[in-house]
Amino acid sequence: TILCSVNVAPLSLQTDPSADQRALLRDVSWKQYELFLEARGESDSPRLTYLGGRLELMTPSIEHEMRGRMIGRMLSEWAIETDTALTACGSWTLRKEHSERGLEPDESFFLGSRRKKRPDLASEVVWTHGGIDTLEVSAGLGVPEVWQWRKSGIEVFVLREGSYELRKRSVLLRDLDLELLMKHLDADNQHQALLGYRRALRKRKS
């Protein structure tokens, strides 16, 4: 069975609907991790993160989901307005058995139209802290650039020689103004926020 010889440690089982729900399982084999993925099926929850025998199950809150989806929508808007070939591939399950790593970012993207074995860019919402460092997982999977949204803003991490460096701007999307994106990201009305972001991008082109 999946739970055979697995130690379960709840991380944040909360009644607050704005909090992510997390549990950390230890002594999980790669085969058991794959069984968890199989049992979950086509559902996108809980999100699974695996690192060297530890498995974190996370059910994102509505606040987490709204920001994650909004980042994806705004990046798509930016790509259209700037004629950038950016292909969205959602919360794609990334895994590599020999390095014992598995991850499901909130959003992921290819730069260009060609499909690859891993995304060029992944974005994550850090709403509540978990038990596994997702940057360590992403580095082992070879994701070139990771964005982490926090209440203070979006942090950009660029992979260099197997580890991430914090940067002020995106290396992949050099012309993207993160401050402008953040200005519209947290608006209560997503429709109006996207329209406002579109107008701001077009104003910069004119």
Side-chain angles (χ1 to χ4, degrees):
T1 61
I2 295 177
L3 290 175
C4 180
S5 302
V6 171
N7 297 320
V8 182
L11 292 177
S12 62
L13 299 178
Q14 304 182 27
T15 57
D16 181 359
S18 68
D20 298 334
Q21 305 298 315
R22 297 177 182 272
L24 182 64
L25 284 63
R26 303 181 187 278
D27 304 320
V28 180
S29 69
W30 183 263
K31 180 61 176 177
Q32 287 171 323
Y33 165 56
E34 290 185 322
L35 288 172
F36 269 101
L37 289 171
E38 183 180 340
R40 188 192 59 185
E42 296 299 319
S43 174
D44 59 0
S45 184
R47 304 256 175 86
L48 304 180
T49 302
Y50 184 82
L51 177 62
R54 292 179 294 153
L55 177 63
E56 183 180 328
L57 288 73
M58 188 271 288
T59 300
S61 68
I62 184 63
E63 299 292 341
H64 181 143
E65 286 280 56
M66 287 173 64
R67 281 166 179 78
R69 297 295 174 89
M70 192 61 171
I71 290 171
R73 293 180 70 184
M74 294 183 78
L75 272 177
S76 295
E77 188 71 35
W78 176 85
I80 291 171
E81 293 296 328
T82 59
D83 194 23
T84 301
L86 191 66
T87 302
C89 40
S91 185
W92 177 18
T93 301
L94 313 173
R95 47 183 162 164
K96 189 181 290 186
E97 183 176 3
H98 76 267
S99 61
E100 296 189 298
R101 282 168 166 80
L103 181 69
E104 295 171 332
D106 288 305
E107 300 286 341
S108 53
F109 305 86
F110 295 133
L111 187 59
S113 57
R114 184 173 64 86
R115 295 186 181 184
K116 305 166 189 176
K117 293 183 178 179
R118 47 99 180 111
D120 296 305
L121 169 65
S123 68
E124 303 173 350
V125 172
V126 182
W127 189 251
T128 54
H129 294 284
I132 294 180
D133 181 358
T134 57
L135 285 178
E136 183 180 351
V137 180
S138 295
L141 293 169
V143 180
E145 186 167 309
V146 175
W147 293 8
Q148 288 192 339
W149 176 95
R150 301 173 188 272
K151 292 181 180 179
S152 58
I154 291 176
E155 296 180 337
V156 176
F157 296 90
V158 176
L159 192 63
R160 289 287 182 269
E161 298 181 357
S163 60
Y164 284 108
E165 297 177 355
L166 181 62
R167 299 292 186 90
K168 292 183 178 180
R169 299 181 67 90
S170 171
V171 171
L172 290 173
L173 310 178
R174 295 181 182 276
D175 296 331
L176 189 143
D177 186 337
L178 280 174
E179 289 186 3
L180 181 64
L181 187 147
M182 280 296 300
K183 180 180 177 181
H184 294 85
L185 178 61
D186 290 329
D188 291 333
N189 187 313
Q190 290 192 0
H191 178 68
Q192 291 299 322
L194 286 167
L195 287 177
Y197 186 51
R198 181 185 301 170
R199 285 193 292 265
L201 291 173
R202 291 180 178 179
K203 184 177 180 180
R204 291 195 168 195
K205 287 196 303 183
S206 61

Coordinates of all heavy atoms in Angstrom, one line a residue, residues 133-175:
D133 N 12.4 22.7 0.7 CA 12.8 23.9 0.0 C 12.6 23.6 -1.5 O 13.3 22.8 -2.1 CB 14.3 24.1 0.3 CG 14.9 25.3 -0.4 OD1 14.1 26.0 -1.2 OD2 16.1 25.6 -0.2
T134 N 11.6 24.3 -2.1 CA 11.3 24.0 -3.5 C 12.4 24.5 -4.4 O 12.6 24.0 -5.5 CB 10.0 24.7 -3.9 OG1 10.0 26.1 -3.6 CG2 8.8 24.1 -3.1
L135 N 13.2 25.5 -4.0 CA 14.3 25.9 -4.8 C 15.4 24.8 -4.9 O 16.0 24.6 -6.0 CB 15.0 27.2 -4.3 CG 14.2 28.5 -4.5 CD1 14.9 29.6 -3.8 CD2 14.0 28.8 -5.9
E136 N 15.6 24.1 -3.9 CA 16.5 22.9 -3.9 C 16.0 21.9 -4.9 O 16.8 21.3 -5.7 CB 16.7 22.3 -2.5 CG 17.7 21.2 -2.5 CD 17.9 20.6 -1.1 OE1 17.4 21.2 -0.2 OE2 18.6 19.6 -1.0
V137 N 14.7 21.7 -4.9 CA 14.1 20.7 -5.8 C 14.3 21.2 -7.3 O 14.7 20.5 -8.2 CB 12.6 20.5 -5.5 CG1 12.0 19.4 -6.5 CG2 12.5 19.9 -4.1
S138 N 13.9 22.5 -7.5 CA 14.0 23.1 -8.8 C 15.4 23.0 -9.4 O 15.6 22.8 -10.6 CB 13.4 24.5 -8.8 OG 12.1 24.5 -8.5
A139 N 16.4 23.3 -8.5 CA 17.8 23.3 -9.0 C 18.2 21.9 -9.5 O 18.8 21.8 -10.5 CB 18.7 23.8 -7.9
G140 N 17.8 20.9 -8.7 CA 18.1 19.5 -9.1 C 17.4 19.1 -10.4 O 17.9 18.2 -11.1
L141 N 16.2 19.7 -10.7 CA 15.5 19.4 -11.9 C 16.0 20.2 -13.1 O 15.6 20.0 -14.2 CB 14.0 19.7 -11.7 CG 13.3 18.8 -10.7 CD1 11.9 19.3 -10.4 CD2 13.2 17.3 -11.3
G142 N 16.8 21.2 -12.8 CA 17.4 22.0 -13.9 C 16.5 23.1 -14.5 O 16.7 23.5 -15.6
V143 N 15.6 23.7 -13.6 CA 14.7 24.7 -14.1 C 15.6 26.0 -14.1 O 16.0 26.5 -13.1 CB 13.5 24.9 -13.2 CG1 12.6 26.0 -13.7 CG2 12.7 23.6 -13.1
P144 N 15.7 26.7 -15.3 CA 16.7 27.8 -15.4 C 16.3 29.0 -14.6 O 17.2 29.7 -14.1 CB 16.6 28.1 -16.9 CG 16.2 26.9 -17.6 CD 15.2 26.2 -16.6
E145 N 15.0 29.3 -14.5 CA 14.6 30.5 -13.7 C 13.3 30.2 -12.9 O 12.4 29.6 -13.4 CB 14.3 31.7 -14.7 CG 14.0 33.0 -14.0 CD 14.1 34.2 -15.0 OE1 15.2 34.3 -15.7 OE2 13.2 35.0 -15.0
V146 N 13.3 30.7 -11.7 CA 12.1 30.5 -10.8 C 11.7 31.9 -10.2 O 12.6 32.6 -9.8 CB 12.4 29.5 -9.7 CG1 11.2 29.4 -8.7 CG2 12.7 28.1 -10.2
W147 N 10.4 32.2 -10.3 CA 9.9 33.3 -9.6 C 9.1 32.9 -8.4 O 8.4 32.0 -8.4 CB 8.9 34.1 -10.5 CG 9.5 34.7 -11.7 CD1 10.8 34.6 -12.2 CD2 8.8 35.6 -12.6 NE1 10.9 35.3 -13.4 CE2 9.8 36.0 -13.7 CE3 7.5 36.1 -12.7 CZ2 9.4 36.8 -14.7 CZ3 7.2 36.9 -13.8 CH2 8.1 37.3 -14.7
Q148 N 9.4 33.6 -7.3 CA 8.6 33.3 -6.1 C 7.9 34.6 -5.6 O 8.6 35.6 -5.3 CB 9.6 32.9 -4.9 CG 10.1 31.4 -5.1 CD 10.7 30.9 -3.9 OE1 11.2 31.6 -3.0 NE2 10.8 29.6 -3.8
W149 N 6.6 34.5 -5.7 CA 5.8 35.7 -5.2 C 5.7 35.6 -3.7 O 5.5 34.6 -3.0 CB 4.4 35.6 -5.7 CG 3.5 36.7 -5.2 CD1 3.2 37.9 -5.7 CD2 2.7 36.7 -3.9 NE1 2.4 38.6 -5.0 CE2 2.1 37.9 -3.8 CE3 2.6 35.8 -2.9 CZ2 1.3 38.3 -2.7 CZ3 1.8 36.1 -1.8 CH2 1.1 37.3 -1.7
R150 N 6.0 36.8 -3.1 CA 5.9 37.0 -1.6 C 5.1 38.3 -1.4 O 5.0 39.1 -2.4 CB 7.2 37.0 -0.9 CG 8.0 35.7 -1.1 CD 9.4 35.9 -0.5 NE 10.2 34.7 -0.8 CZ 10.3 33.6 -0.1 NH1 9.6 33.5 1.0 NH2 11.1 32.6 -0.5
K151 N 4.6 38.6 -0.3 CA 3.9 39.8 0.0 C 4.7 41.0 -0.3 O 4.2 42.1 -0.6 CB 3.4 39.8 1.4 CG 2.3 38.8 1.7 CD 1.8 38.8 3.1 CE 0.7 37.7 3.3 NZ 0.2 37.7 4.7
S152 N 6.1 40.9 -0.2 CA 7.0 42.0 -0.5 C 7.2 42.2 -2.0 O 7.8 43.2 -2.4 CB 8.3 41.8 0.3 OG 8.9 40.6 -0.1
G153 N 6.9 41.2 -2.8 CA 7.1 41.4 -4.2 C 7.5 40.0 -4.8 O 7.3 39.0 -4.2
I154 N 7.9 40.0 -6.1 CA 8.4 38.8 -6.8 C 9.9 38.8 -6.8 O 10.6 39.7 -7.2 CB 7.9 38.8 -8.2 CG1 6.3 38.6 -8.2 CG2 8.5 37.7 -9.0 CD1 5.7 38.7 -9.6
E155 N 10.4 37.6 -6.3 CA 11.9 37.4 -6.3 C 12.2 36.5 -7.4 O 11.5 35.5 -7.7 CB 12.3 36.8 -4.9 CG 12.1 37.7 -3.7 CD 12.5 37.1 -2.4 OE1 12.6 35.8 -2.4 OE2 12.8 37.8 -1.5
V156 N 13.3 36.9 -8.1 CA 13.7 36.1 -9.3 C 15.0 35.3 -9.0 O 16.0 35.9 -8.5 CB 14.0 37.1 -10.5 CG1 14.5 36.3 -11.7 CG2 12.7 37.8 -10.9
F157 N 14.9 34.0 -9.2 CA 16.1 33.2 -9.0 C 16.6 32.6 -10.3 O 15.8 32.0 -11.0 CB 15.7 32.1 -8.0 CG 15.4 32.6 -6.6 CD1 14.1 32.9 -6.3 CD2 16.4 32.8 -5.6 CE1 13.7 33.4 -5.0 CE2 16.0 33.3 -4.4 CZ 14.7 33.6 -4.1
V158 N 17.8 32.8 -10.6 CA 18.4 32.3 -11.9 C 19.4 31.2 -11.6 O 20.3 31.4 -10.7 CB 19.1 33.4 -12.6 CG1 19.7 32.9 -13.9 CG2 18.0 34.5 -13.0
L159 N 19.3 30.1 -12.3 CA 20.2 28.9 -12.0 C 21.6 29.2 -12.6 O 21.7 29.5 -13.8 CB 19.6 27.7 -12.6 CG 20.2 26.3 -12.3 CD1 20.0 26.1 -10.8 CD2 19.5 25.2 -13.1
R160 N 22.6 29.0 -11.7 CA 24.0 29.2 -12.2 C 24.8 28.1 -11.5 O 24.9 28.1 -10.3 CB 24.5 30.6 -11.8 CG 23.9 31.7 -12.6 CD 24.5 31.7 -14.0 NE 24.0 32.8 -14.8 CZ 23.0 32.8 -15.6 NH1 22.2 31.7 -15.6 NH2 22.6 33.8 -16.3
E161 N 25.4 27.2 -12.3 CA 26.3 26.1 -11.8 C 25.6 25.3 -10.7 O 26.2 25.1 -9.7 CB 27.6 26.7 -11.3 CG 28.4 27.4 -12.5 CD 29.7 28.0 -12.0 OE1 30.0 27.9 -10.8 OE2 30.5 28.5 -12.9
G162 N 24.3 25.0 -10.9 CA 23.7 24.1 -10.0 C 23.0 24.7 -8.8 O 22.3 24.0 -8.0
S163 N 23.1 26.0 -8.6 CA 22.4 26.7 -7.5 C 21.8 28.0 -8.0 O 22.2 28.5 -9.1 CB 23.3 26.9 -6.3 OG 24.4 27.7 -6.7
Y164 N 20.8 28.6 -7.3 CA 20.1 29.8 -7.7 C 20.8 31.0 -7.1 O 21.2 31.1 -6.0 CB 18.7 29.7 -7.3 CG 17.8 28.8 -8.1 CD1 17.4 27.6 -7.6 CD2 17.5 29.1 -9.5 CE1 16.6 26.7 -8.4 CE2 16.8 28.2 -10.3 CZ 16.4 27.1 -9.7 OH 15.6 26.2 -10.5
E165 N 20.8 32.1 -8.0 CA 21.2 33.4 -7.6 C 20.0 34.3 -7.7 O 19.2 34.3 -8.6 CB 22.3 33.9 -8.6 CG 23.6 33.1 -8.6 CD 24.6 33.7 -9.6 OE1 24.2 34.6 -10.4 OE2 25.7 33.1 -9.7
L166 N 19.9 35.2 -6.7 CA 18.8 36.1 -6.6 C 19.1 37.3 -7.5 O 20.2 37.9 -7.4 CB 18.6 36.6 -5.2 CG 17.4 37.6 -4.9 CD1 16.1 37.0 -5.3 CD2 17.4 38.1 -3.5
R167 N 18.2 37.6 -8.4 CA 18.4 38.7 -9.3 C 17.2 39.8 -9.2 O 16.1 39.4 -8.7 CB 18.4 38.2 -10.8 CG 19.5 37.2 -11.1 CD 20.9 37.9 -11.1 NE 21.9 37.0 -11.5 CZ 22.3 36.8 -12.8 NH1 21.7 37.6 -13.7 NH2 23.2 36.0 -13.1
K168 N 17.5 41.0 -9.6 CA 16.5 42.0 -9.6 C 15.5 41.9 -10.7 O 14.3 42.4 -10.6 CB 17.1 43.4 -9.5 CG 17.9 43.7 -8.3 CD 18.5 45.1 -8.3 CE 19.2 45.4 -7.0 NZ 19.8 46.8 -7.0
R169 N 15.9 41.4 -11.8 CA 15.1 41.3 -13.0 C 15.2 39.9 -13.6 O 16.1 39.1 -13.3 CB 15.5 42.3 -14.1 CG 15.4 43.8 -13.7 CD 15.8 44.7 -14.8 NE 14.8 44.6 -15.9 CZ 13.8 45.4 -16.0 NH1 13.5 46.3 -15.1 NH2 13.0 45.3 -17.1
S170 N 14.2 39.6 -14.4 CA 14.3 38.3 -15.1 C 15.4 38.3 -16.2 O 15.6 39.3 -16.9 CB 12.9 38.0 -15.8 OG 13.0 36.9 -16.7
V171 N 16.1 37.2 -16.3 CA 17.1 37.0 -17.3 C 16.5 36.5 -18.6 O 16.9 36.9 -19.7 CB 18.2 36.0 -16.8 CG1 19.1 35.7 -18.0 CG2 19.0 36.6 -15.7
L172 N 15.5 35.7 -18.5 CA 14.8 35.2 -19.7 C 13.9 36.2 -20.3 O 13.8 36.3 -21.6 CB 13.9 33.9 -19.3 CG 14.7 32.7 -18.9 CD1 13.7 31.6 -18.4 CD2 15.4 32.1 -20.1
L173 N 13.2 37.0 -19.5 CA 12.3 38.0 -20.0 C 12.8 39.4 -19.6 O 12.3 40.1 -18.8 CB 10.9 37.8 -19.4 CG 10.3 36.4 -19.5 CD1 8.9 36.3 -18.9 CD2 10.2 35.9 -21.0
R174 N 13.9 39.8 -20.3 CA 14.7 41.0 -19.9 C 13.9 42.2 -20.0 O 14.1 43.2 -19.3 CB 15.9 41.1 -20.8 CG 16.9 39.9 -20.6 CD 18.1 40.1 -21.5 NE 19.0 38.9 -21.4 CZ 19.9 38.8 -20.4 NH1 20.0 39.8 -19.5 NH2 20.7 37.8 -20.3
D175 N 12.9 42.3 -20.9 CA 12.1 43.6 -21.0 C 10.9 43.7 -20.1 O 10.2 44.7 -20.2 CB 11.6 43.7 -22.5 CG 12.8 43.8 -23.5 OD1 13.9 44.3 -23.1 OD2 12.7 43.4 -24.6

